[in-house]
Amino acid sequence: MLSGQFLLHMGATMLRVATGFLAAFLVSIGLGIFMGVNRTAERFFEPEIVVGLTVPSLAWSVIALMWFGISELAPIFTIFVVLQPVITVNIWQGTKALDHEVIEMARAFRAGRPMVIRDVVIPQLVPYLLAATRFGLSLAWKVTVIAELLGLSNGIGYMIHYSFGIFSMLDVFAWTIAFTLVMLALEYGFLKPLETRITGWRRAVAL
Amino acid sequence: MILQIALRGIHKEFPRENGGSLAVLRDVTLTVGAGEFCCVVGSSGCGKSTILNIVAGLTPPDSGEVLVDNARADSTQMRIGYVFQKPRLLNWKSVRENVAFALRASGVSASEARARARHYLDLVGLSQFEHEFPLSLSGGMQQRVAIARALAIEPDLLLMDEPFSHLDELTARVLRSELLRIWQQARKPVMFVTHNALEAVYLADQVLILSGRPATIQKSLRVSLPRDREMEDPRLALLQREILDGLGISGANGSLPR
């Protein structure tokens, strides 16, 4: 099972996750900030967010497979629609929580808009972006596996389904565990160190 | 180099949630002379900070004008050092980067900003903390960083909005005398807002007393006592009494004005 076959299926799943996640992340950053600074946008998009958060990802998977057929577009679309409201909520809240006093300070010292965004606004959004990344990625894995199980011919989800078909408990476990290990490696090898690096200032202890 | 700041007939109202408006400043006219330390005293919430924000160009007045050396001010042309009530530091930047941020914002090159930030941190006694993050410092130290940040840009005008009101009295005393020491070297005009009458007479050449909302200058007081004043000087106590009377706070059993 390991070696060639594993890499093939893992690669297929990872590619779907990465594409869907990235698309959702980029759209959500724009939308979340827009909703955070504009009352009208907030009121307009809020129902979309609530509906998006409510519809089960299984339903989206089925709908996507019926719309797009058995293609790469189906799982990527599913990931996008499931993740987008979740990530948008995070960025939206982060934008609303911006500390306007330090922004005013920056303006008093004549900082230009690019400097205010780079040095004052983005650092305040980073914790929210990180939380969204983490939450979004974990959700993306689950969603992809469902889509693969339902109607695709490769990927981890497909292999779990296949193992179930031949009723091999060993294979089901093997695929699940291998997949979990990759996720753990991503979390502890990449996300966690990144977070420690860029939010180190928060752990400082008062004298 | 000589820089005189004047406000002429400043009015300001703020819209309210319920649709009405709140008149905050009414016909505020004042002059801060070259190199003068001017304290603005008023009860809390009377619009003192709004005056500073108008001078800084952060809040546009509804009418009236800000004059610099008798010409209409283009606030973007003035180098203004602003110290707020709270430190308002960028907690994700080191102490030195916080000071350098203001320098970079005013167009100083990165390498010069670094050197000047270090110099001014040294001036407020924080050079050994330059690589720390603000949250690891005490409140008094954070406020010193904010003062260093305002001084570092070598401002034409220094605005201070109750900068010591959140500090304990011992720390505040040290910082007040340090502020005077630095101001006496630089001799730039200072507008210092406070509700502490004793602090005002200790620091100022000129004390302006504001009325309640909508605020207007009710009274102006010259403090001509020589420098290196003592907080316990009985002459300061007399002046303090005069300010408190001006604010309508009388005697030991005084009550807050309406």
Side-chain angles (χ1 to χ4, degrees), chain A residues 140-206:
Chain A
W141 291 114
K142 292 174 192 165
V143 172
T144 322
V145 168
I146 290 176
E148 288 169 350
L149 187 146
L150 279 176
L152 293 171
S153 54
N154 61 6
I156 302 288
Y158 168 76
M159 284 317 290
I160 289 175
H161 188 56
Y162 174 81
S163 309
F164 173 64
I166 59 171
F167 219 76
S168 165
M169 184 61 109
L170 193 65
D171 279 343
V172 172
F173 269 130
W175 282 105
T176 309
I177 290 168
F179 172 67
T180 310
L181 286 178
V182 173
M183 280 171 54
L184 282 176
L186 191 70
E187 168 72 23
Y188 288 102
F190 177 67
L191 281 180
K192 195 87 187 167
L194 184 73
E195 182 176 27
T196 311
R197 237 184 90 101
I198 52 188
T199 60
W201 59 270
R202 293 175 124 194
R203 283 198 323 277
V205 182

Side-chain angles (χ1 to χ4, degrees), chain A residues 100-102 104-112 115-116 118-121 123-124 198 200-202 204-207, chain B residues 53 56 58 75-76 78 80-82 84 86 88-93 101-102 104-105 133 135-136 141 149-150 153:
Chain A
H100 289 276
E101 293 196 332
V102 291
E104 190 182 64
M105 177 283 293
R107 287 208 299 135
F109 283 99
R110 312 287 178 239
M115 206 175 164
V116 171
R118 191 188 64 221
D119 293 328
V120 184
V121 173
Q124 294 189 66
I198 52 188
W201 59 270
R202 293 175 124 194
V205 182
L207 288 179
Chain B
N53 284 340
L58 293 175
S75 57
T76 55
M78 261 195 296
I80 289 177
Y82 205 141
F84 302 88
K86 286 189 279 174
R88 299 202 192 183
L89 300 176
L90 305 174
N91 291 332
W92 44 92
K93 287 181 177 289
F101 172 80
R104 296 287 290 144
F133 285 116
L135 293 182
S136 67
M141 288 157 95
R149 176 176 66 190
I153 62 166

Side-chain angles (χ1 to χ4, degrees), chain B residues 127-147:
Chain B
S127 47
Q128 72 270 42
F129 296 99
E130 60 173 328
H131 298 299
E132 303 282 330
F133 285 116
L135 293 182
S136 67
L137 305 181
S138 69
M141 288 157 95
Q142 289 184 29
Q143 196 61 316
R144 278 184 208 215
V145 177
I147 292 170

Side-chain angles (χ1 to χ4, degrees), chain B residues 34-174:
Chain B
E36 187 177 76
F37 203 119
C38 171
C39 280
V40 180
V41 187
S43 50
S44 49
C46 79
K48 303 188 293 282
S49 307
T50 308
I51 295 180
L52 294 191
N53 284 340
I54 286 173
V55 174
L58 293 175
T59 306
D62 293 336
S63 64
E65 51 189 6
V66 181
L67 300 173
V68 180
D69 290 339
N70 296 319
R72 206 187 178 109
D74 178 0
S75 57
T76 55
Q77 296 301 309
M78 261 195 296
R79 227 178 245 273
I80 289 177
Y82 205 141
V83 183
F84 302 88
Q85 206 166 345
K86 286 189 279 174
R88 299 202 192 183
L89 300 176
L90 305 174
N91 291 332
W92 44 92
K93 287 181 177 289
S94 74
V95 163
R96 194 182 72 198
E97 286 166 347
N98 263 281
V99 179
F101 172 80
L103 287 160
R104 296 287 290 144
S106 63
V108 174
S109 74
S111 61
E112 204 199 325
R114 208 173 311 131
R116 254 162 78 177
R118 205 176 275 141
H119 171 75
Y120 279 90
L121 283 170
D122 197 31
L123 200 68
V124 297
L126 286 179
S127 47
Q128 72 270 42
F129 296 99
E130 60 173 328
H131 298 299
E132 303 282 330
F133 285 116
L135 293 182
S136 67
L137 305 181
S138 69
M141 288 157 95
Q142 289 184 29
Q143 196 61 316
R144 278 184 208 215
V145 177
I147 292 170
R149 176 176 66 190
L151 294 171
I153 62 166
E154 289 166 6
D156 301 319
L157 170 68
L158 193 57
L159 302 177
M160 307 185 91
D161 186 2
E162 305 193 33
F164 307 137
S165 65
H166 280 307
L167 304 179
D168 63 276
E169 182 53 25
L170 289 179
T171 309
R173 279 194 176 212
V174 173

